[in-house]
């Protein structure tokens, strides 16, 4: 089993390019099953385990998929299957978005409950209720969801919560339904905008992406598109936190600064100098980080839950007391207990963390509890005194392409063993 060995205490400096967004590429790859005319070419696809699993799902469905570097081509013109094996579904949470795509293409689907990181209850009721409103009949039997989508209909769908996954499922299921479908209280995340841009590039007619009201006018068919995935905003925040925690300076290229505004605001409150252009962000850390105002996670454009663990690790070595409220997932503070073994002073009660900054973290042998919790341990290890070993690297691999290479390029003393 692989592990990361990190000798901390070295300021990270330099420039790196941010890879394509994990949370954008997965629904866009799922969307390719809607295309029965031509071969889709998707660029800037990160080399991640979740992408590999998504490719295997597409192949199991009968699509012909090739990958060369960061470009993936998907030929879904042939007759597709409607069943995804549980062994693939349970490897990643976002596999649930295939339900809407397969239902729209084959008019039926058979999928198991999805897997992914254990972050507390993440019910799929929003997904199934929305698809049932679109005319699907869904039954659960022997651990599988059986979807009958022979009589799909357009409608208005008010979401009780602006769920990213449910918004994506509705988009995929409805863009071929005659008439007009409206999503009220839709998710506004940049990844939703990216998915809609791809669907429109294939000939869909969708407006309102990035707002709480998305309007989908059904079209008869979709054609192939050539498309490039947006930059990964959570990877960008990770590298910024690595530099800030080590007292370094970094320039990120291939970023959209607008997507990082809440994180950049917190970093500025910590005393970091921030400068942004249309596609770059430069950060210069102060001699000592300062505790910022309270951080509260919220749907976009609020502070992203995916970045919460990263900032908890960063604030563990900031001067003063910080407070973090988690409002999205129940189990986002798993890394806090591990950080405390490295010398951090973090107390967690319910979905609130109080962080008392310490002067020094210490290298330890630790295990990543999940994807972003693992990234938080990398940040802490880079800032710590001594050598850390991080196990369960497979979690980290789910979200970061060339993490070791990039950190070594910035001057980190890190190895994968």
């Amino acid at each position: 089993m692989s592990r990361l060995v990190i000798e901390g205490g070295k300021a990270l400096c330099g420039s790196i390019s941010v890879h394509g967004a994990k949370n954008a590429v997965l629904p866009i790859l799922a969307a390719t099953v809607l295309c029965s005319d031509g071969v889709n070419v998707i660029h800037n696809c990160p080399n991640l385990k979740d992408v590999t699993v998504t490719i295997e799902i597409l192949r199991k469905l009968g699509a012909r998929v090739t990958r060369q570097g960061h470009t993936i081509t998907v030929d879904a013109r042939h007759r597709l299957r409607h069943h995804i094996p549980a062994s693939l579904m349970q490897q990643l949470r976002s596999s649930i978005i295939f339900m809407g795509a397969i239902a729209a293409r084959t008019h039926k689907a058979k999928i198991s409950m999805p897997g992914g990181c254990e972050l507390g209850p993440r019910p799929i009721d929003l997904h199934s209720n929305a698809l049932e409103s679109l005319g699907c009949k869904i039954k659960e039997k022997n651990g599988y969801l059986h979807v009958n989508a022979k009589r799909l209909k357009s409608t208005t769908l008010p979401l009780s919560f602006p769920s990213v996954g449910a918004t994506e499922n509705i988009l995929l299921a409805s863009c071929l339904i005659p008439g007009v479908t409206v999503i009220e209280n839709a998710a506004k995340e940049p990844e939703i905008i990216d998915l809609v841009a791809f669907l429109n590039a294939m000939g869909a007619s969708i407006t309102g992406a990035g707002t709480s009201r998305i309007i989908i006018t059904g079209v008869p068919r979709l054609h192939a598109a050539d498309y490039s995935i947006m930059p990964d905003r959570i990877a960008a925040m990770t590298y910024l936190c690595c530099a800030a925690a080590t007292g370094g300076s970094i320039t990120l290229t291939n970023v959209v600064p607008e997507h990082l505004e809440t994180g950049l605001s917190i970093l500025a409150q910590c005393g970091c100098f921030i400068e942004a252009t249309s596609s770059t962000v430069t950060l210069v850390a102060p001699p000592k980080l300062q505790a910022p105002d309270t951080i509260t996670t919220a749907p976009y454009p609020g502070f992203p839950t995916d970045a919460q663990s990263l900032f908890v690790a960063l604030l563990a070595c900031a001067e003063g007391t910080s407070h973090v409220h988690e409002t999205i997932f129940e189990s986002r503070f798993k890394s806090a207990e591990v950080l405390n073994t490295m010398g951090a002073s973090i107390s967690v009660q319910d979905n609130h963390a109080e962080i008392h900054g310490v002067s020094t973290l210490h290298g330890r042998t630790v295990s990543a509890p999940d994807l972003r919790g693992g990234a938080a341990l990398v940040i802490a290890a880079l800032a710590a005194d001594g050598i850390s070993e991080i196990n369960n690297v497979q979690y980290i691999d789910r979200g970061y392409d060339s993490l070791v290479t990039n950190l070594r390029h910035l001057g980190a003393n890190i190895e994968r063993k």
Side-chain angles (χ1 to χ4, degrees):
M1 189 70 69
S2 294
R3 69 188 192 279
L4 296 179
V5 180
I6 301 172
E7 183 176 359
K10 188 172 183 181
L12 300 192
C13 300
S15 175
I16 57 171
S17 176
V18 176
H19 60 69
K22 163 187 175 286
N23 291 335
V25 68
L26 303 182
I28 284 174
L29 286 175
T32 62
V33 307
L34 298 172
C35 176
S36 57
D37 179 14
V39 178
N40 284 292
V41 182
I42 316 296
H43 306 283
N44 201 32
C45 299
N47 183 19
L48 305 174
K49 179 185 175 183
D50 281 11
V51 175
T52 300
V53 174
T54 304
I55 289 172
E56 288 306 307
I57 290 175
L58 288 169
R59 287 173 174 160
K60 282 292 183 182
L61 292 173
R64 297 174 182 175
V65 186
T66 60
R67 182 172 195 167
Q68 187 170 9
H70 291 99
T71 296
I72 298 173
T73 61
V74 183
D75 182 353
R77 290 176 292 181
H78 310 280
R79 183 181 178 88
L80 297 185
R81 305 180 189 95
H82 68 281
H83 173 216
I84 302 176
S87 59
L88 290 174
M89 282 291 297
Q90 292 170 2
Q91 290 187 52
L92 70 160
R93 181 70 189 183
S94 61
S95 57
I96 191 66
I97 58 175
F98 273 97
M99 182 163 64
I102 298 171
R105 174 67 186 270
T106 68
H107 304 298
K108 58 183 176 179
K110 178 185 176 183
I111 62 175
S112 70
M113 297 293 286
C117 290
E118 294 297 329
L119 300 175
R122 293 194 279 185
I124 64 165
D125 293 358
L126 283 173
H127 300 256
S128 57
N129 291 343
L131 292 183
E132 286 177 336
S133 295
L134 290 171
C136 292
K137 295 181 179 180
I138 303 174
K139 293 182 179 180
E140 184 175 354
K141 183 179 179 182
N142 298 326
Y144 277 88
L145 296 174
H146 296 260
V147 184
N148 181 329
K150 292 182 179 179
R151 295 185 178 180
L152 294 176
K153 60 182 180 180
S154 57
T155 189
T156 295
L157 292 161
L159 294 178
S160 59
F161 176 82
S163 162
V164 173
T167 300
E168 291 168 344
N169 242 329
I170 297 167
L171 286 165
L172 296 174
S174 64
C175 59
L176 294 175
I177 300 175
V180 177
T181 296
V182 179
I183 309 174
E184 301 283 6
N185 197 29
K188 303 175 185 177
E189 273 71 3
E191 293 81 6
I192 295 293
I193 298 173
D194 215 34
L195 174 60
V196 168
F198 175 66
L199 290 169
N200 283 342
M202 288 200 297
S205 178
I206 306 171
T207 60
T211 75
S212 59
R213 191 170 194 262
I214 299 178
I215 301 172
I216 307 109
T217 303
V219 297
R221 61 190 296 115
L222 298 176
H223 55 73
D226 189 292
Y227 194 78
S228 185
I229 302 295
M230 62 172 269
D232 195 307
R233 59 195 175 106
I234 306 303
M237 287 192 192
T238 302
Y239 289 117
L240 291 170
C241 286
C242 287
T246 61
S249 60
I250 187 174
T251 295
L252 300 179
T253 61
N254 188 38
V255 293
V256 182
E258 179 185 350
H259 296 170
L260 311 175
E261 282 184 355
T262 53
L264 294 178
S265 174
I266 298 297
L267 289 166
Q269 290 177 39
C270 290
C272 296
F273 167 80
I274 306 289
E275 185 175 62
T277 69
S278 60
S279 61
T280 70
V281 169
T282 296
L283 175 146
V284 180
K288 185 63 180 177
L289 295 169
Q290 301 298 313
D293 294 338
T294 297
I295 296 175
T296 301
T297 63
Y300 190 86
F303 187 88
T305 181
D306 277 354
Q308 180 256 93
S309 298
L310 314 176
F311 277 77
V312 168
L314 175 73
L315 300 179
C317 47
E319 193 171 81
T321 300
S322 307
H323 296 270
V324 177
H325 293 285
E326 173 57 54
T327 69
I328 308 297
F329 293 126
E330 291 183 7
S331 301
R332 272 288 196 197
F333 288 118
K334 286 184 177 180
S335 60
E337 183 177 348
V338 187
L339 290 168
N340 283 342
T341 69
M342 302 177 71
S345 178
I346 307 169
S347 58
V348 177
Q349 185 172 4
D350 298 325
N351 286 333
H352 172 79
E354 184 172 278
I355 307 153
H356 299 281
V358 297
S359 58
T360 308
L361 296 174
H362 306 285
R364 294 287 187 268
T365 297
V366 293
S367 294
D370 51 55
L371 167 54
R372 304 305 174 185
L377 297 182
V378 171
I379 294 167
L382 290 167
D385 210 9
I387 296 175
S388 298
E389 293 189 9
I390 302 176
N391 297 302
N392 286 352
V393 179
Q394 69 274 10
Y395 283 124
I396 302 172
D397 291 341
R398 290 188 50 234
Y400 297 92
D401 185 351
S402 304
L403 178 69
V404 171
T405 300
N406 285 334
L407 290 176
R408 293 184 72 173
H409 178 74
L410 294 171
N413 191 342
I414 179 172
E415 288 185 275
R416 184 175 183 130
K417 294 186 176 181

